Amino acid sequence: PGTGYQAWLGYPSIASDKSINEYMAYNRLHVTEDDEVIQTAVSELSRGLEGMLGVPPTQAVQVENAIVLGTIGGHPHVGLVFVEHQFEDIGPEGYFIWHDNENQSIVVGAATPSGVLYGTFHLLRVLRMGASLENLTLVERPANKLRMINQWDNMDGSVERGYAGTSIFYKDSRFSEDLGRVRDYARLLASVSVNAIVINNVNVHKVESKLITEFLPQVARLAAIFRAYAIKLFVSVNFASPIEIGGLSTADPLDPAVRQWWKDATAGIYQQIPDFGGFLVKADSEHRPGPFTYNRDHADGSNMLAEALKPFGGIVIWRCFVYNCKQDWRDRKTDRARAAYDHFKPLDGKFMDNVILQIKNGPIDFQVREPVSPLLGAMPSTNQVLELQITQEYTGQQRHVFYLIPQWKEILEFDTYAKGEGSTIKLAASGALHGNPLAGIAAVSNIGDDLNWTGHLLAQANLYGYGRLIWNPELTVDEITEEWIVLTFGHHEKLMATIKQILLSSSTIYESYTAPLGVGFMVTPHTHYGPDVDGYEYAMWGTYHYADWQGIGVDRTQATGTGYTSQYLGPNCERYESLVTCPDDLLLFFHHVPYTHILHSGKTVIQHIYDAHFEGAEQAAALVDLWADLSGTMEAGLHKQVTERLMEQAEHAKEWRDRINTYFYRKSGIADGLHRFIHL
Ligand code: GCW
């Protein structure tokens, strides 16, 4: 208690609630299938019911007064109900829940065991929310086929950009002995319908290269754990594996020996893991090997792997995070924002049908504020998945609170105009926009071996919300937020109002005291935590702000800049190109302007910077008081965890405020219009 370990899957007793009698009447399970995933559903439901009701459910002999779980084809009563009620097409992973007034039973049915599992977790949510079961009839179907989590775990036990302890998977170049933690993680993921996981970092070092050879038995053990929760296992592979672990002298994707090496390796994997998902690849990116070494393109590289996986039904997920990371800061022509589109757009149609391109939500790198990547939706003949980052690399590293759901919602609603108005990212991601057979959403996990999984307790909401949102992008931010709060803390009016307020204001507050108006970065090099305005200004990474004594921002226009705006279609292109229509919050991403430039808000850029930073730091401090007021409404341990993080955030926000304000005061020589104190 008080650790947060149960996250949103705690089922405390409801002995004193009025719903207990209603729920008690259904405390019997009617199940006829012994499929592994259905048995997982049974054990999850039993666990939840026992927690809430105090007694475990019994086995029902009849469907009356019971919860009936099963597949349409495997459980006769479920099949009957489905036919009688003609629930709309529920697809392979969807489900229906039907409250049978006559029999007083609840039927959870699906076409497949995974659908039954998702339906069961849905029912558990309903129970935990305390809703009535009368008239509980619904049908659900996921919007996205691939709902994936990427672990950036290394076998030495570290987690790249991990802010919640070390890996739960590996330690000292071996697999963790106790995989109980992995099983509990699988529960959390399946409860929000995640159906695929990549178990290692996209930066694959020598030891992880062997995951597909030497370590296969251990990988198979992990696959078995995830299989019980209907989650498919994928591995990140090293493009240079044929050299690194195969003893060949080349990794050229068109070399027959290399192709054969991959085919043999892949066949070896499927021998031990027949339902293996496939490979994730980071190639020609940040010093990782790739096809460019051999003058081949990314279609050559990915198709080679796709060919090896094809006979087994596996897929290749190929990342588009390809850019020049050895840029000369003096070179004003090269624009990192352009890179993914410039590299991949010309290859549309050249990829095999079991290749999916994985594209980060923004053109640069998971900044607090970036435009949506113009590559998303721009390749009609190529499968794509959207990549999000749950781990808070640039958004406060789980020491600051930053609720990501509103940002993701904005991204999903963004209109690309790829097929005219209404061509939103959510349709591109789901594959519906261009009718792609493989599609979906992936995100970098935010968990580690910290007892509460995510370091900051409130960061659990990002993992929860991610799963909920990718199942159904139509859910509102409010719906997701309220669900998470009740499931995690129970019903309490003030608690609900306060936590909601904190979460919903968190991203705006953080944005206020960090890099202004979409310019990005200004973080400490390498760690990416804390302010360092010029930290990357003369580095090779292509992330510059170009602040001088007169102004700031990156000119990405066609008229006078890098031409990046031309990668957008129709109204987007014009909107970003023109100073008149470019939104304030992205102004410095697209334009270089004087500090005296007047924003749509009516303020000058410099005054905006001062105001935002003073206000942001103040608002961060106010979060501490808001939270303090919740003492006594939850377990003391939980309350304390968050108090500590919020206090750190408040202090650190002041550092951001002062560094940024001083920097711009020194550069511009323009004083704050409100005469607040700025260090010189
Ligand atoms: O944002 C950068 C991170 C790297 C990461 C890379 C990527 C896994 O700073 O740590 O490497 O992106 O997405 O490949």
Side-chain angles (χ1 to χ4, degrees):
T3 62
Y5 188 79
Q6 297 301 332
W8 54 87
L9 293 181
Y11 299 102
S13 162
I14 58 162
S16 54
D17 295 10
K18 57 180 189 306
S19 44
I20 178 123
N21 291 332
E22 188 193 355
Y23 292 0
M24 201 62 112
Y26 298 91
N27 204 16
R28 274 163 295 275
L29 304 186
H30 194 284
V31 181
T32 61
E33 295 156 280
D34 59 9
D35 172 273
E36 189 182 15
V37 172
I38 292 189
Q39 288 308 315
T40 300
V42 170
S43 76
E44 288 296 327
L45 193 52
S46 305
R47 182 171 176 158
L49 287 169
E50 179 170 5
M52 287 185 278
L53 305 176
V55 280
T58 54
Q59 248 184 32
V61 272
Q62 295 163 324
V63 296
E64 287 80 21
N65 296 99
I67 299 174
V68 182
L69 292 185
T71 63
I72 294 157
H75 189 301
H77 185 69
V78 172
L80 206 72
V81 168
F82 182 72
V83 172
E84 264 175 23
H85 293 272
Q86 301 190 341
F87 291 113
E88 51 186 301
D89 177 27
I90 57 175
E93 291 180 300
Y95 53 84
F96 66 87
I97 302 181
W98 181 61
H99 181 257
D100 182 346
N101 275 319
E102 227 168 274
N103 287 335
Q104 287 297 299
S105 62
I106 296 165
V107 183
V108 180
T112 63
S114 58
V116 175
L117 181 63
Y118 302 141
T120 301
F121 277 117
H122 188 131
L123 178 62
L124 278 163
R125 269 198 304 272
V126 171
L127 298 172
R128 177 78 175 100
M129 300 288 288
S132 167
L133 302 177
E134 280 307 313
N135 309 319
L136 176 69
T137 294
L138 54 91
V139 179
E140 287 265 341
R141 173 184 43 233
N144 293 293
K145 194 165 164 188
L146 193 67
R147 302 181 299 280
M148 181 174 252
I149 281 285
N150 293 178
Q151 296 301 133
W152 280 0
D153 295 41
N154 302 313
M155 286 193 71
D156 67 4
S158 64
V159 179
E160 182 150 350
R161 309 308 176 187
Y163 311 106
T166 58
S167 174
I168 64 168
F169 293 85
Y170 318 102
K171 199 184 152 117
D172 303 332
S173 298
R174 276 202 277 270
F175 281 68
S176 301
E177 255 143 54
D178 175 13
L179 294 176
R181 192 84 205 243
V182 172
R183 184 167 292 106
D184 286 342
Y185 184 40
R187 296 183 61 221
L188 290 174
L189 295 180
S191 74
V192 291
S193 88
V194 167
N195 66 2
I197 187 166
V198 184
I199 58 163
N200 63 303
N201 188 0
V202 289
N203 291 326
V204 185
H205 318 94
K206 173 120 190 181
V207 54
E208 295 95 13
S209 300
K210 298 181 197 157
L211 283 172
I212 55 170
T213 52
E214 197 183 307
F215 291 113
L216 264 181
Q218 289 93 319
V219 176
R221 274 178 64 205
L222 282 188
I225 292 173
F226 285 111
R227 183 180 301 119
Y229 282 88
I231 299 170
K232 244 187 209 299
L233 182 140
F234 290 69
V235 168
S236 292
V237 294
N238 178 351
F239 191 81
S241 290
I243 302 174
E244 195 96 24
I245 57 170
L248 302 188
S249 59
T250 174
D252 180 353
L254 298 191
D255 183 298
V258 171
R259 296 177 86 85
Q260 193 56 45
W261 187 88
W262 280 109
K263 282 186 184 163
D264 294 343
T266 305
I269 300 172
Y270 279 92
Q271 230 163 43
Q272 300 203 36
I273 310 168
D275 57 353
F276 179 69
F279 302 140
L280 174 65
V281 193
K282 171 175 179 177
D284 292 317
S285 165
E286 300 184 332
H287 314 293
R288 306 316 301 158
F292 286 165
T293 309
Y294 311 98
N295 273 322
R296 313 296 184 197
D297 66 27
H298 282 231
D300 297 326
S302 54
N303 287 341
M304 165 187 66
L305 299 176
E307 193 181 85
L309 287 158
K310 182 96 182 164
F312 307 99
I315 60 179
V316 182
I317 304 177
W318 189 272
R319 293 176 89 229
C320 295
F321 187 55
V322 179
Y323 68 97
N324 178 8
C325 65
K326 291 185 190 154
Q327 190 177 330
D328 185 333
W329 60 269
R330 299 164 194 85
D331 163 16
R332 297 284 287 253
K333 293 239 157 50
T334 304
D335 179 3
R336 172 165 162 182
R338 294 188 58 123
Y341 187 100
D342 284 346
H343 281 301
F344 285 92
K345 167 80 179 165
L347 299 178
D348 188 25
K350 297 206 169 134
F351 296 91
M352 279 176 65
D353 62 1
N354 60 330
V355 174
I356 312 183
L357 299 185
Q358 182 164 308
I359 304 166
K360 289 191 184 189
N361 63 264
I364 301 276
D365 194 8
F366 300 132
Q367 296 304 291
V368 174
R369 177 74 57 181
E370 276 188 66
V372 172
S373 168
L375 189 57
L376 287 159
M379 300 176 68
S381 312
T382 305
N383 300 319
Q384 298 189 333
V385 288
L386 163 66
E387 178 177 331
L388 303 171
Q389 195 186 44
I390 314 175
T391 194
Q392 291 173 235
E393 177 175 1
Y394 298 98
T395 50
Q397 305 201 347
Q398 283 138 252
R399 316 207 70 81
H400 296 231
V401 53
F402 192 116
Y403 187 45
L404 285 153
I405 312 304
Q407 185 196 82
W408 295 337
K409 191 78 186 167
E410 250 178 65
I411 293 163
L412 291 168
E413 295 300 331
F414 180 79
D415 196 342
T416 66
Y417 294 93
K419 275 175 90 179
E421 207 176 318
S423 304
T424 52
I425 294 294
K426 67 186 171 198
L427 294 180
S430 74
L433 184 61
H434 299 298
N436 301 104
L438 297 177
I441 302 183
V444 184
S445 176
N446 65 347
I447 70 106
D449 72 350
D450 277 1
L451 256 191
N452 70 2
W453 299 96
T454 53
H456 203 310
L457 184 71
L458 298 182
Q460 288 183 354
N462 288 328
L463 183 60
Y464 179 82
Y466 169 70
R468 298 291 290 131
L469 191 63
I470 62 174
W471 174 274
N472 181 8
E474 305 307 325
L475 288 174
T476 64
V477 174
D478 275 4
E479 282 170 318
I480 294 173
T481 314
E482 286 168 16
E483 248 181 42
W484 178 76
I485 293 171
V486 174
L487 297 178
T488 306
F489 300 100
H491 283 286
H492 188 293
E493 221 174 292
K494 179 165 142 197
L495 181 148
M496 168 63 77
T498 304
I499 299 184
K500 207 169 148 184
Q501 184 188 344
I502 292 174
L503 289 175
L504 296 188
S505 60
S506 61
S507 57
T508 309
I509 294 174
Y510 187 82
E511 185 170 3
S512 306
Y513 58 75
T514 54
L517 301 167
V519 79
F521 281 82
M522 302 195 169
V523 290
T524 308
H526 310 300
T527 67
H528 298 172
Y529 188 67
D532 185 346
V533 180
D534 282 338
Y536 278 107
E537 200 55 18
Y538 307 97
M540 298 187 293
W541 299 92
T543 52
Y544 314 113
H545 55 68
Y546 302 126
D548 60 22
W549 64 283
Q550 287 173 305
I552 176 174
V554 189
D555 185 354
R556 294 192 159 105
T557 63
Q558 293 172 72
T560 51
T562 68
Y564 166 73
T565 54
S566 68
Q567 295 181 348
Y568 290 92
L569 297 169
N572 288 336
C573 175
E574 290 154 34
R575 192 159 55 102
Y576 294 143
E577 174 79 11
S578 158
L579 254 184
V580 180
T581 48
C582 185
D584 284 351
D585 56 14
L586 285 171
L587 181 70
L588 304 182
F589 192 95
F590 286 105
H591 297 272
H592 185 92
V593 296
Y595 295 117
T596 50
H597 172 83
I598 297 180
L599 299 166
H600 299 295
S601 69
K603 291 181 187 179
T604 59
V605 166
I606 190 72
Q607 193 57 41
H608 170 90
I609 292 175
Y610 296 147
D611 288 353
H613 286 78
F614 280 117
E615 284 159 21
E618 246 170 59
Q619 288 162 349
L623 296 178
V624 178
D625 302 328
L626 275 173
W627 187 260
D629 241 20
L630 291 184
S631 132
T633 65
M634 66 183 75
E635 285 174 291
L638 296 181
H639 190 262
K640 183 161 169 270
Q641 289 180 31
V642 178
T643 301
E644 284 167 3
R645 301 266 160 162
L646 290 178
M647 285 172 65
E648 181 179 345
Q649 174 177 357
E651 271 314 300
H652 200 233
K654 286 192 219 157
E655 185 66 15
W656 267 103
R657 173 197 67 195
D658 292 342
R659 290 259 214 134
I660 300 260
N661 284 345
T662 294
Y663 180 94
F664 286 103
Y665 184 29
R666 286 179 184 170
K667 280 260 155 161
S668 70
I670 302 174
D672 170 30
L674 297 179
H675 314 293
R676 288 161 292 196
F677 176 71
I678 297 177
H679 297 263
L680 249 193

